[in-house]
Amino acid sequence: MSQTDFSVISLASIAGFDAEADVLVCGFGGAGGSAAFEAAKAGASVILYERASGAGGSTGMSSCEMYLGGSGGTSLQKTLGFEDSTENFIAYLEKAMGVRGDPEKIRLYAEGATDHFEWVRTLGVPYKDAVMLEREVVPLTDESLLFTGNERTLEFKDVAAPVPRGHVPSHEGDFGGRMFIDALTSAVVEAGVDVQYDSRVMHLIVDESDRVAGLAVKQDNQLRYVKANRGVVLTSGGFIMNDEMRKRYLPDNHKWATPYGNPFDMGDGIKLGQAAGGYTINMDEAFVSLPIYPPSKLTYGILVNQRGERFVNEDAYLARLAHYASLQPEQKLYLLVDADNFDHPMYIERLDVVATGDTIEELAAEAGIFPAGALEQTVAYFNEHAKKSTDPKFRKAPEWLSPLEKGPFGLLDLSFDRQTAVIMPGTKGPLTFTLGGLDTLPTGEVKRWNGGVVEGLYAAGRVTAGLPRSSEGYSSGMSVGDATFFGRIAGRQAASQ
């Protein structure tokens, strides 16, 4: 038997176990740490295995924004004067996830998100009573609440009142994930979890009824067998770093996006779950982000493709912008701005200025990209309606509508093959991570393709198709919020068996 095929091992073939515990958790990121903590608090003995030499996973690399609200609002939202009902939160999430959303997970998350925030606070993670209302991905000052999605766009305001739901640990800089993981690690150790690093889970062990009864883990180049008295929880991340899987499930994304995650996002947990009878969904979806997220002034500009046509409301969130940009011919896109807004040095310096001109005609001629008259027609139509504070084609919100009439004009190249990521200098194309994986019940049990569940097997985080299901409706904080929230539930469920 190959040591990398992730096939199951029969319990009958195991002569003896090297260790045992009630619950075995595979992967120490946000999901795994949360699962292990809750299982231990529920009275189970827990061993937590991590392939790397330390805790963190992709959560540790993140800003640790958590997308939370509902139930009247979190304590932070209430303190800052924002109210959010559970139904309002559900309406937003259902709109964001569309037909791919899981209604049961959405409702459970919306009903429990405020309590989840209080749990995070009990770990000692600091939050400041301050809100950032500008268009920012992560506040580099120390505010803890911000808008991290499409809440203020007209299409989403049609169904849900806008509320800032991005909760980020208070600090100056961008290292919230490390703060959270450090706090979670302390809590996990204090709860009595046996944490073992440099340990790669290779196989699940199943009994004669196909119930998961343990695992085989590689440590010090030796395969050791560990018995699970109650259950195994898979929390080993997505598959964005697995080139073979990415080519298979995300063939287009593979061509133009930059993988974003930890080096061990190799799909191990997904393969382990499949080998035990679990099945996958949503494997063709990934988060995509424009490396350049237009700040306030650049939002007054318009995005066009190489045909000179607009294709999205420019006030959308960076993931939604990237989703629609990815659908354009050859992923070519350009930002047209006028003299009043052509002055944001941090962004202008990182983008190619394709052309300038005192008039749109001069700019289009210098660019030499668009069909004759196409850009001029697009701008004329946009200006006609922007003067009336309307955008009939894409419904950009009125506060971002301003006719493009004052030269000189500038055309910036945001094409995927030309972009250099602001937060990852040297990379090209939008950042991406996977949103597909094992299908699970809201309580964490891994589903079988032909009905029922894989007994004794649970999963959470990006090893699953969790709460976030598409880049088109993604809000930053959905992934860490989902991983930790459903990780906790999976840990409790495994411990209860």
Side-chain angles (χ1 to χ4, degrees), residues 146-223:
L146 69 160
F147 286 96
T148 59
N150 296 287
E151 303 89 353
R152 294 181 286 188
T153 63
L154 295 183
E155 186 174 350
F156 281 78
K157 287 172 74 173
D158 286 344
V159 300
V163 180
R165 300 192 182 96
H167 293 64
V168 62
S170 179
H171 55 83
E172 292 190 6
D174 186 12
F175 49 87
R178 193 69 258 163
M179 295 170 65
F180 172 75
I181 288 295
D182 288 346
L184 182 59
T185 300
S186 296
V188 163
V189 172
E190 187 175 334
V193 175
D194 179 4
V195 181
Q196 300 192 23
Y197 298 111
D198 299 308
S199 304
R200 185 181 185 186
V201 177
M202 305 301 297
H203 306 278
L204 295 176
I205 298 170
V206 297
D207 64 18
E208 64 279 359
S209 65
D210 290 329
R211 177 184 176 86
V212 174
L215 54 83
V217 58
K218 194 172 187 180
Q219 296 176 314
D220 299 323
N221 214 30
Q222 297 290 321
L223 201 61

Side-chain angles (χ1 to χ4, degrees), residues 45 129 173 198 249 274:
S45 58
D129 294 339
D198 299 308
Y249 295 110
Q274 287 176 312

Side-chain angles (χ1 to χ4, degrees), residues 162-474:
V163 180
R165 300 192 182 96
H167 293 64
V168 62
S170 179
H171 55 83
E172 292 190 6
D174 186 12
F175 49 87
R178 193 69 258 163
M179 295 170 65
F180 172 75
I181 288 295
D182 288 346
L184 182 59
T185 300
S186 296
V188 163
V189 172
E190 187 175 334
V193 175
D194 179 4
V195 181
Q196 300 192 23
Y197 298 111
D198 299 308
S199 304
R200 185 181 185 186
V201 177
M202 305 301 297
H203 306 278
L204 295 176
I205 298 170
V206 297
D207 64 18
E208 64 279 359
S209 65
D210 290 329
R211 177 184 176 86
V212 174
L215 54 83
V217 58
K218 194 172 187 180
Q219 296 176 314
D220 299 323
N221 214 30
Q222 297 290 321
L223 201 61
R224 296 188 169 95
Y225 301 105
V226 189
K227 183 181 180 183
N229 297 321
R230 302 186 191 179
V232 170
V233 187
L234 301 174
T235 54
S236 53
F239 63 90
I240 197 61
M241 295 301 178
N242 187 317
D243 205 48
E244 180 182 347
M245 290 182 72
R246 192 168 161 226
K247 284 180 180 178
R248 176 182 177 185
Y249 295 110
L250 300 164
D252 292 329
N253 172 289
H254 183 270
K255 297 174 185 176
W256 39 251
T258 297
Y260 183 62
N262 77 83
F264 298 126
D265 277 340
M266 295 292 289
D268 286 10
I270 294 173
K271 292 180 179 180
L272 288 164
Q274 287 176 312
Y279 78 103
T280 58
I281 60 170
N282 214 51
M283 296 289 279
D284 60 336
E285 281 287 340
F287 164 84
V288 187
S289 167
L290 281 187
I292 302 296
Y293 180 47
S296 297
K297 296 201 76 174
L298 295 186
T299 307
Y300 290 104
I302 60 172
L303 285 167
V304 297
N305 59 25
Q306 61 184 356
R307 295 191 294 255
E309 303 166 338
R310 287 178 72 215
F311 54 87
V312 70
N313 52 305
E314 294 81 5
D315 60 335
Y317 196 53
L318 75 174
R320 192 172 180 87
L321 292 175
H323 168 77
Y324 285 103
S326 74
L327 303 179
Q328 304 312 305
E330 300 179 45
Q331 292 75 48
K332 299 285 188 181
L333 58 147
Y334 307 89
L335 178 65
L336 175 65
V337 293
D338 65 7
D340 286 338
N341 303 304
F342 191 43
D343 65 348
H344 199 293
M346 185 180 83
Y347 288 83
I348 302 302
E349 289 171 5
R350 293 179 180 271
L351 296 171
D352 291 332
V353 179
V354 177
T356 59
D358 290 330
T359 66
I360 299 298
E361 291 77 12
E362 287 181 12
L363 179 141
E366 182 177 319
I369 296 169
F370 312 110
L375 185 64
E376 294 91 325
Q377 182 178 359
T378 293
V379 174
Y381 181 88
F382 174 79
N383 285 349
E384 175 189 351
H385 294 281
K387 291 174 183 176
K388 305 171 189 175
S389 296
T390 63
D391 179 18
K393 273 198 171 182
F394 298 102
R395 300 188 67 205
K396 184 193 285 193
E399 58 263 36
W400 300 115
L401 287 173
S402 178
L404 301 170
E405 296 180 316
K406 183 178 179 181
F409 302 93
L411 189 69
L412 309 176
D413 194 346
L414 271 70
S415 301
F416 283 5
D417 63 351
R418 302 294 293 173
Q419 292 188 28
T420 300
V422 173
I423 62 173
M424 291 180 65
T427 61
K428 295 290 184 180
L431 305 179
T432 186
F433 56 79
T434 56
L435 296 175
L438 297 169
D439 193 14
T440 59
L441 295 177
T443 43
E445 293 93 338
V446 174
K447 294 182 182 180
R448 292 186 180 274
W449 69 269
N450 58 350
V453 299
V454 181
E455 295 291 339
L457 187 63
Y458 308 82
R462 292 289 62 77
V463 75
T464 74
L467 181 76
R469 296 286 178 91
S470 76
S471 192
E472 182 180 6
Y474 193 91

